[in-house]
């Protein structure tokens, strides 16, 4: 059997010297202590598949989908094996042979790519959500605690208009699905902060999902279409920079369209910034007028900290707010277990991983936890609640906006 | 090899989820950190000593090989199931049962990760010194099975020096308790010492009483750079003869340095061909006095630069460079073969030179670094497993390195064990009679030879 997606990364298979150091940072392994649920085991599985010792079985599929793509293994690997690429390539093999569940396939390839269908689906979902019985009948609310869907998306409700006189820059806001449907407040805060810093903010209505959930499930073809559509939309918007407030969207726009999907987006990618990165590096941070007496901790989203190497900038914004005392948590870069759809597809594992995070947040004794990703935001809320820890969760932009 | 009836019995006794037979799970338990591979017929994950006992009784009755395994990070093939059968994976037995600060001991299950334990102990002001490079993931059980050590070995010894007692299940299913919760204990044969380093060939460790010491007050790191390897080595021997006892005394050769330099902030002056990285610890005054002595001796031995660091973060940077040596080398070539020889300290230079010469002759890049304080070197052969010719040359080079270490009065393994990799060289070191008595010992514990067959002896 030929596995073209895997073959493209066969050098990474050879690179794995099986030292096992990756397991010491692999969240699913550290909850289960089962080799096949850990990074090294997954590399061994891909290797065995390529050698013809295994087939594309259900078990193999399960093991490869319990990876959170948190990239902690990649950082820990002494020999430079890109475990994340191997995992995605195996998912692509599964997807290209139709070995992804029918409903998931429909959602990923038909609903997510279409702005109108996705809007409609979310609207329907938010109505369903008012009738918990119906919602759980669809198998959508279980242990995972499906997030509260917003009836009106950010893009729908956003009114372009506040005029910025003599803008220093014309920037596009890449909203991303998490912000658009689940954490619209973060979107509003980001736009407001950018405007306060003298930017003219364009929110193209035709933008679609960045593709993270799609190609992370192996659907590379649909991922490519999404990348191309977004490139077209932002090309038309004629902006100097593209800003996102989501770690995963940022990573995808900056690197993965090109490196994973092979879409030539390098010119565009050079213009993409995370919200905090843009504020600190390209604009001048303003000293907020309001001050708080607040102990705040910060959770590093995987795709921001490891994916884009952005750890200092969000902290700089927080420290810039008068009266805010930043208290570091244990292992701030350890995955929260949200990982996009993982929280719903593997609820029990996600909760276990999240509980560890919740406890390190609790131990800071801070009264607020901040982060830079709507996915993490939702997961943190969920796991704090599950562990009876009362603490507010906010996007860095929200706290900063409220102080400006 | 395992009958359906037997598997059914195992599942009934241990629970469905603790007996794994899918091809995927078998593949994932067919390797360690060497290139040796062999599939088991089943993977069993016991939760208690009773579970272990049940498995061993069944295996013994049916003459099924049992290979104990922790995190699977060994460097000799020790946990690879060469003859198939059952891999007894102990990672789920991972609770720290007790930490007793007043008695300076801890009681742990075999699956506890060493680094995790050390962090927990440090919170209580306690210190468990053995520090294998794999400590962030390797388990106490595996460490005991191989009597693992690390840089701190010179001053603090290795795993076998920290075992007060063990609970072991024998192949017959009997639970043996050996040693005690006291520092002193000479009641009968020292079985705990025998099981430590026995590589799973005698029984299965299900619990250990570890000896602890208080955390030292201060740690100081000294990095000395030398133009000549001889100078670095003479610093090591002079420091030792002067009665200094640094907690670590590490050496890196020029091949290692060139790899490390690219990837770390190790600032050695131009023309450096060897460095000695040492650390002193203890009460502040003592650690400082000792560090200053190391510095004096470095300068006396021709060091071209000496850097002394007290600050935790800066010390950490230097040690990260040392720990990163393996990583830096591993990135140069896809396959790395890591050896583990020990020679008397006085033969250090000769050994490092010999390794370089062997490398040249076989057209291989071999980097040498290691724990100079105790003569333990890790020649690391860089190769590519897809290149058959190169792998053949690497094999002969490794053989020559072993021979040379033995000729210099050294030993085959300081802290990795024998496993499968070095089994064929064992006789050369311990002789015919040595092999015989070891085999007799094994027979008396494991008459049917089910415990980790194919290891240690040819």
């Amino acid at each position: 059997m030929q596995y073209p997606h895997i073959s493209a990364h066969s050098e990474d298979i050879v690179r794995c010297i099986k030292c096992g150091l990756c397991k010491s940072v692999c969240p699913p392994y550290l909850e289960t202590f089962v080799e096949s649920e850990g990074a090294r085991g997954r590399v061994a599985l891909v290797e065995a598949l390529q050698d013809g010792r295994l087939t594309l079985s259900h078990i193999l599929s399960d093991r490869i989908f319990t990876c959170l793509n948190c990239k902690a293994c990649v950082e820990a690997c002494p020999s430079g094996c890109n475990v994340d690429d191997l995992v995605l390539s195996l998912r692509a093999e599964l997807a290209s042979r139709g070995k992804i569940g029918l409903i998931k396939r429909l959602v990923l390839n038909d609903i997510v790519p279409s702005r109108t269908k996705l809007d409609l689906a979310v609207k329907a979902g938010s109505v369903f959500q008012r009738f918990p019985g119906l919602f759980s009948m669809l198998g959508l609310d279980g242990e995972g605690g499906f997030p509260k869907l917003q009836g009106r998306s950010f893009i729908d409700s956003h009114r372009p208009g506040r005029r910025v006189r003599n803008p220093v820059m014309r920037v596009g806001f890449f909203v991303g699905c998490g912000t658009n449907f689940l954490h619209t407040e973060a979107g509003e805060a980001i736009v407001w902060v950018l405007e306060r810093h003298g930017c003219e903010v364009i929110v193209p209505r035709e933008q679609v999902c960045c593709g993270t959930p799609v190609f992370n499930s192996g659907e590379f073809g649909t991922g490519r279409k999404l990348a191309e559509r977004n490139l077209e939309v932002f090309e038309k918007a004629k902006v100097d920079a593209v800003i996102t407030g989501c770690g995963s969207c940022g990573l995808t726009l900056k690197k993965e369209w090109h490196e994973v999907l092979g879409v030539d987006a390098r010119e565009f990618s050079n213009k993409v910034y995370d919200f905090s990165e843009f504020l600190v590096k390209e604009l001048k941070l303003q000293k907020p007028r309001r001050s708080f007496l607040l102990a705040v901790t910060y959770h590093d989203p995987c795709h921001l900290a490891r994916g884009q190497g952005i750890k200092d900038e969000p902290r700089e914004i927080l420290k810039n707010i008068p009266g805010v005392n930043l208290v570091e948590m244990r292992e701030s870069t350890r995955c929260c277990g949200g990982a996009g759809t993982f929280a719903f597809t593997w609820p029990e594992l996600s909760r276990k991983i999240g509980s560890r995070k919740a406890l390190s947040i609790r131990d800071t004794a801070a009264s607020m936890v901040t982060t830079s990703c709507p996915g993490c935001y939702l997961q943190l809320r969920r796991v704090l609640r599950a562990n009876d820890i009362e603490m507010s969760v906010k996007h860095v932009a929200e706290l900063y906006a409220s102080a400006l | 090899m395992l009958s359906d009836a037997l598997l059914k019995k195992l599942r009934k006794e241990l629970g469905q989820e603790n007996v794994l037979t899918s091809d995927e799970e078998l593949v994932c338990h067919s390797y360690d950190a060497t290139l040796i591979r062999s599939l088991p017929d089943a993977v069993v994950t016991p939760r208690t000593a009773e579970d272990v006992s049940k498995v061993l009784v069944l295996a013994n009755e049916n003459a099924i090989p049992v290979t104990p395994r922790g995190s699977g990070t060994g460097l000799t093939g020790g946990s690879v199931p060469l003859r198939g059968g059952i891999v007894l994976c102990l990672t789920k037995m991972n609770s720290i049962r007790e930490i007793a600060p007043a008695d300076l001991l801890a009681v742990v299950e075999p699956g506890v990760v060493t680094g995790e334990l050390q962090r927990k102990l440090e919170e209580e002001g306690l210190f468990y010194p053995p520090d294998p490079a794999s400590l962030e993931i390797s388990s106490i059980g595996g460490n005991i099975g191989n009597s693992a050590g690390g840089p701190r070995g010179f001053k603090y010894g290795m795993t076998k020096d920290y075992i007060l007692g063990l609970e072991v299940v024998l192949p017959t299913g009997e639970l043996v308790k050996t040693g005690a919760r006291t520092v002193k204990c000479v009641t009968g044969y020292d079985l705990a010492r025998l099981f430590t380093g026995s590589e799973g060939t005698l029984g299965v460790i299900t619990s250990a009483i570890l000896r602890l010491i208080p955390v030292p007050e201060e740690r100081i790191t000294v990095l000395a750079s030398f133009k000549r390897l001889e100078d670095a080595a003479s610093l090591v021997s002079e420091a030792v003869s002067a009665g200094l006892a640094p907690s670590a005394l590490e050496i890196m050769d020029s091949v290692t340095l060139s790899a490390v330099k690219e990837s770390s902030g190790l600032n050695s002056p131009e023309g450096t061909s060897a460095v000695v990285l040492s650390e002193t610890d203890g009460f502040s005054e003592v650690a400082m006095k000792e560090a200053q002595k190391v510095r004096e001796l470095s300068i006396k031995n021709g060091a071209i630069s000496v850097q002394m660091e007290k600050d935790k973060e800066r010390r950490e940077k230097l040690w990260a460079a040392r720990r990163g040596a393996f990583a830096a080398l591993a990135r140069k070539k896809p396959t790395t073969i890591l050896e583990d020889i020990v020679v008397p300290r006085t033969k250090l230079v000769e050994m490092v030179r010999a390794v370089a010469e062997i490398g040249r002759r076989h057209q291989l890049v071999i980097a040498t670094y290691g724990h100079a304080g105790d003569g333990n070197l890790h020649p690391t052969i860089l190769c590519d497993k897809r290149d058959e010719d190169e792998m053949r040359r690497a094999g002969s080079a490794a053989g020559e390195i072993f021979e040379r270490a033995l000729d210099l009065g050294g030993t085959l393994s300081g802290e990795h064990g024998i496993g499968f990799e070095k089994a064929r060289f064992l006789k050369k070191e311990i002789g015919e009679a040595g092999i015989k008595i070891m085999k007799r010992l094994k027979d008396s514990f494991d008459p049917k030879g089910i415990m980790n067959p194919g290891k240690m002896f040819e």
Side-chain angles (χ1 to χ4, degrees):
Chain A
M1 186 80 82
Q2 292 290 311
Y3 301 104
H5 290 284
I6 294 173
S7 300
H9 297 285
S10 54
E11 192 61 28
D12 285 303
I13 297 177
V14 180
R15 284 226 153 252
C16 173
I17 51 175
K18 301 285 186 292
C19 69
L21 282 181
C22 51
K23 294 198 294 176
S24 70
V25 294
C26 179
Y29 178 79
L30 293 173
E31 299 305 331
T32 59
F33 292 98
V34 174
E35 179 81 18
S36 59
E37 300 273 19
R40 177 174 69 169
R42 295 194 184 95
V43 175
L45 292 174
V46 176
E47 182 182 15
L49 179 75
Q50 194 191 31
D51 297 349
R53 287 178 283 138
L54 290 177
T55 55
L56 286 167
S57 65
H58 279 294
I59 299 177
L60 189 69
S61 170
D62 275 1
R63 295 299 178 269
I64 220 67
F65 274 103
T66 52
C67 166
L68 304 141
N69 194 5
C70 75
K71 306 187 192 291
C73 51
V74 180
E75 193 179 62
C77 177
S79 56
C81 169
N82 296 300
V83 186
D84 52 349
D85 287 343
L86 286 176
V87 165
L88 288 192
S89 69
L90 177 45
R91 290 182 186 174
E93 298 293 353
L94 287 161
S96 68
R97 287 167 179 78
K99 288 192 185 275
I100 305 277
L102 189 67
I103 294 182
K104 196 171 169 186
R105 231 161 46 206
L106 179 81
V107 171
L108 293 175
N109 295 319
D110 196 42
I111 297 180
V112 171
S114 151
R115 174 91 283 157
T116 40
K117 282 187 195 166
L118 187 57
D119 274 350
L120 210 67
V122 172
K123 273 196 186 118
S126 76
V127 174
F128 267 119
Q129 241 177 356
R130 285 181 223 151
F131 307 96
L134 261 179
F135 204 63
S136 59
M137 261 170 59
L138 291 172
L140 279 178
D141 204 336
E143 277 186 279
F146 206 83
K148 176 112 182 60
L149 297 164
Q150 311 269 348
R152 243 168 109 77
S153 71
F154 172 82
I155 294 178
D156 251 3
S157 55
H158 178 71
R159 292 277 161 270
R162 225 173 331 206
R163 293 191 70 87
V164 178
R165 250 175 283 159
N166 305 321
V168 291
M169 229 189 268
R170 180 179 156 92
V171 303
F173 180 33
F174 189 88
V175 183
C177 304
T179 307
N180 195 28
F181 297 115
L182 300 162
H183 195 194
T184 52
E185 300 90 335
E188 281 151 20
I190 289 168
V191 171
W192 193 72
V193 169
L194 289 171
E195 287 177 346
R196 278 293 300 267
H197 283 74
C199 294
E200 179 188 4
V201 183
I202 311 294
V203 184
R205 296 182 64 82
E206 303 80 19
Q207 58 179 295
V208 288
C209 167
C210 70
T212 301
V214 176
F215 69 78
N216 267 283
S217 301
E219 300 288 359
F220 284 17
T222 307
R224 241 168 253 135
K225 279 186 213 145
L226 288 167
E228 280 153 8
R229 176 90 187 108
N230 279 315
L231 282 171
E232 212 175 285
V233 169
F234 278 87
E235 172 77 16
K236 257 201 295 192
K238 299 219 174 343
V239 288
D240 306 318
V242 176
I243 316 300
T244 158
C246 166
S248 298
C249 293
L251 173 67
T252 295
L253 268 55
K254 281 180 179 178
K255 281 194 197 160
E256 301 193 325
W257 280 352
H258 175 63
E259 287 176 15
V260 176
L261 301 177
V263 175
D264 186 7
R266 277 169 294 185
E267 204 181 313
F268 170 82
S269 297
N270 288 334
K271 290 197 294 192
V272 177
Y273 295 85
D274 176 67
F275 163 76
S276 62
E277 180 189 25
F278 188 67
L279 221 59
V280 171
K281 285 193 176 154
E282 302 297 323
L283 303 172
K284 204 172 153 358
L285 267 188
Q286 289 173 12
K287 200 74 196 168
R289 276 175 300 180
R290 238 159 277 152
S291 82
F292 305 104
L293 254 183
L294 197 63
V296 176
T297 187
Y298 177 73
H299 160 72
D300 285 286
C302 300
H303 290 174
L304 192 66
R306 277 182 295 274
Q308 303 174 51
I310 296 177
K311 288 190 223 170
D312 297 339
E313 292 86 342
R315 289 178 167 81
E316 220 166 293
I317 294 179
L318 292 170
K319 285 189 211 154
N320 181 50
I321 303 172
V324 163
N325 175 25
L326 177 64
V327 194
E328 292 292 340
M329 67 177 82
R330 273 194 314 272
E331 306 177 306
S332 66
T333 55
R334 187 176 181 140
C335 182
C336 64
T341 52
F342 187 89
F344 322 117
T345 45
W346 303 94
E348 205 193 322
L349 196 50
S350 169
R351 203 192 45 225
K352 279 189 189 160
I353 296 168
S355 292
R356 215 183 265 258
K357 178 58 76 174
L359 297 184
S360 48
I361 291 173
R362 183 198 61 191
D363 291 349
T364 61
S367 46
M368 179 189 288
V369 52
T370 55
T371 188
S372 302
C373 171
C376 301
Y377 163 83
L378 287 170
Q379 170 78 349
L380 294 180
R381 281 181 42 151
R382 187 165 37 217
V383 296
L384 286 172
R385 205 180 320 139
N387 285 278
D388 292 320
I389 300 165
E390 265 185 60
M391 202 187 282
S392 70
V393 185
K394 291 224 184 292
H395 192 286
V396 168
E398 284 181 278
L399 182 59
Y400 184 56
S402 67
L404 273 180
Chain B
M1 201 163 176
L2 263 70
S3 67
D4 288 346
L6 189 68
L7 282 171
K8 208 170 148 190
K9 229 175 188 168
L10 277 172
R11 288 201 167 98
K12 204 176 139 220
E13 299 268 16
L14 275 84
Q16 198 81 13
E17 73 283 5
N18 292 317
V19 182
L20 314 172
T21 51
S22 74
D23 291 342
E24 288 78 7
E25 303 298 348
L26 301 184
V27 162
C28 285
H29 293 81
S30 65
Y31 51 77
D32 67 357
T34 62
L35 294 170
I36 302 163
R37 305 281 180 267
S38 179
L39 284 172
D41 297 297
V43 178
V44 179
T45 54
R47 305 268 181 174
T48 62
E50 291 71 57
D51 285 352
V52 173
S53 174
K54 284 173 190 163
V55 176
L56 291 194
V57 167
L58 281 173
N60 204 37
E61 273 170 12
N62 297 280
I64 310 275
V66 175
T67 304
R69 183 183 192 269
S71 295
T73 57
L75 288 157
T76 64
S79 63
V80 179
L82 287 184
R83 311 261 160 92
I86 294 170
V87 160
L88 197 65
C89 181
L90 294 141
T91 47
K92 288 183 184 171
M93 284 179 69
N94 61 352
S95 78
I96 299 173
R97 289 197 192 147
E98 186 187 348
I99 295 176
D103 284 333
L104 286 174
L105 63 83
V107 184
V108 298
E109 291 187 344
V112 169
V113 171
T114 309
E116 188 73 19
L117 173 69
Q118 285 173 338
R119 268 190 294 279
K120 291 237 164 77
L121 291 171
E122 195 135 340
E123 284 169 21
E124 314 249 353
L126 297 168
F127 184 32
Y128 172 73
D131 56 344
S134 59
L135 65 85
E136 283 302 335
I137 189 62
S138 63
S139 65
I140 284 287
N143 287 180
I144 298 172
N146 295 290
S147 189
R152 291 186 198 130
F154 172 55
K155 177 171 180 179
Y156 289 109
M158 36 214 302
T159 305
K160 64 182 171 193
D161 301 305
Y162 293 86
I163 303 300
L164 292 176
L166 293 177
E167 181 190 274
V168 184
V169 178
L170 299 179
T172 46
E174 293 156 285
L175 190 78
V176 179
K177 286 186 178 167
T178 159
R181 293 171 59 95
T182 54
V183 173
K184 292 180 172 176
C185 169
V186 285
T187 40
Y189 293 133
D190 190 349
L191 293 182
R193 192 82 170 191
L194 175 62
F195 281 110
T196 306
S198 66
E199 303 186 15
T201 60
L202 302 178
V204 179
I205 297 160
T206 50
S207 156
I209 308 169
L210 304 178
R211 182 169 78 89
L212 309 175
I213 55 178
V215 178
E217 186 180 85
E218 180 101 84
R219 291 182 169 127
I220 299 169
T221 302
V222 185
L223 173 75
S225 308
F226 296 90
K227 267 191 185 143
R228 299 179 332 135
L229 177 70
E230 284 78 0
D231 297 341
S234 77
L235 162 65
V236 172
S237 42
E238 272 195 39
V240 175
S241 346
L244 300 180
S247 58
L249 203 49
E250 300 281 300
I251 197 164
M252 288 192 261
D253 78 344
S254 55
V255 182
T256 313
L257 280 174
S258 67
V260 167
K261 244 187 161 165
E262 282 172 30
S263 62
S264 83
L266 198 73
N267 291 317
S268 285
E270 208 53 37
T272 302
S273 68
V275 300
V276 174
L277 186 63
S278 55
E279 186 159 284
T280 62
D281 67 356
F283 289 110
S284 295
E285 298 80 1
V286 178
M288 186 42 89
K289 195 168 176 187
E290 225 171 4
Q292 265 156 357
K293 281 254 180 192
V294 173
R295 177 158 69 178
E296 280 163 29
L297 285 176
S298 303
I299 294 167
K300 189 180 151 223
N301 280 287
I304 44 177
S305 88
V306 187
Q307 186 185 348
M308 214 163 113
E309 299 292 356
K310 226 166 116 173
D311 174 63
K312 190 174 179 191
E313 216 166 282
R314 292 163 83 163
R315 281 196 308 108
E316 200 35 57
K317 248 192 192 154
L318 292 177
W319 283 104
R322 160 63 185 89
R323 276 195 301 269
F326 178 67
L329 292 166
R331 279 168 196 253
K332 297 226 148 195
K333 281 277 221 163
T335 311
T336 34
I337 299 176
L338 181 62
E339 290 306 347
D340 176 39
I341 48 165
V342 194
V343 292
R345 259 189 304 270
T346 46
K347 305 287 185 196
L348 212 59
V349 174
E350 220 171 311
M351 191 66 225
V352 177
R353 292 255 180 268
V355 172
E357 186 274 320
I358 291 168
R360 268 195 303 277
R361 198 151 30 76
H362 291 279
Q363 293 166 302
L364 292 164
V365 179
I366 311 183
T368 303
Y369 57 93
H371 321 307
D374 47 36
N376 188 189
L377 293 172
H378 294 305
T380 301
I381 309 176
L382 307 185
C383 42
D384 186 335
K385 66 181 174 192
R386 291 165 294 189
D387 184 340
E388 273 178 43
D389 180 56
E390 192 172 53
M391 292 313 281
R392 214 173 10 252
R393 280 182 280 130
S396 345
E400 285 175 34
I401 290 171
F402 296 151
E403 303 265 344
R404 197 56 193 272
L406 291 178
D407 289 346
L408 291 173
T411 178
L412 286 173
S413 179
E415 52 192 17
H416 297 172
I418 295 298
F420 174 71
E421 291 262 272
K422 289 177 194 159
R424 69 203 158 98
F425 298 99
L426 185 62
K427 197 190 278 177
K428 183 146 196 249
E429 182 169 339
I430 65 169
E432 193 84 50
I435 295 268
K436 251 192 193 153
I437 185 69
M438 282 196 189
K439 279 194 171 160
R440 274 218 299 272
L441 257 175
K442 167 145 173 89
D443 287 344
S444 66
F445 282 90
D446 177 24
K448 287 194 178 172
I450 62 161
M451 292 308 304
N452 208 0
K455 310 297 164 58
M456 214 177 298
F457 311 106
E458 247 182 305

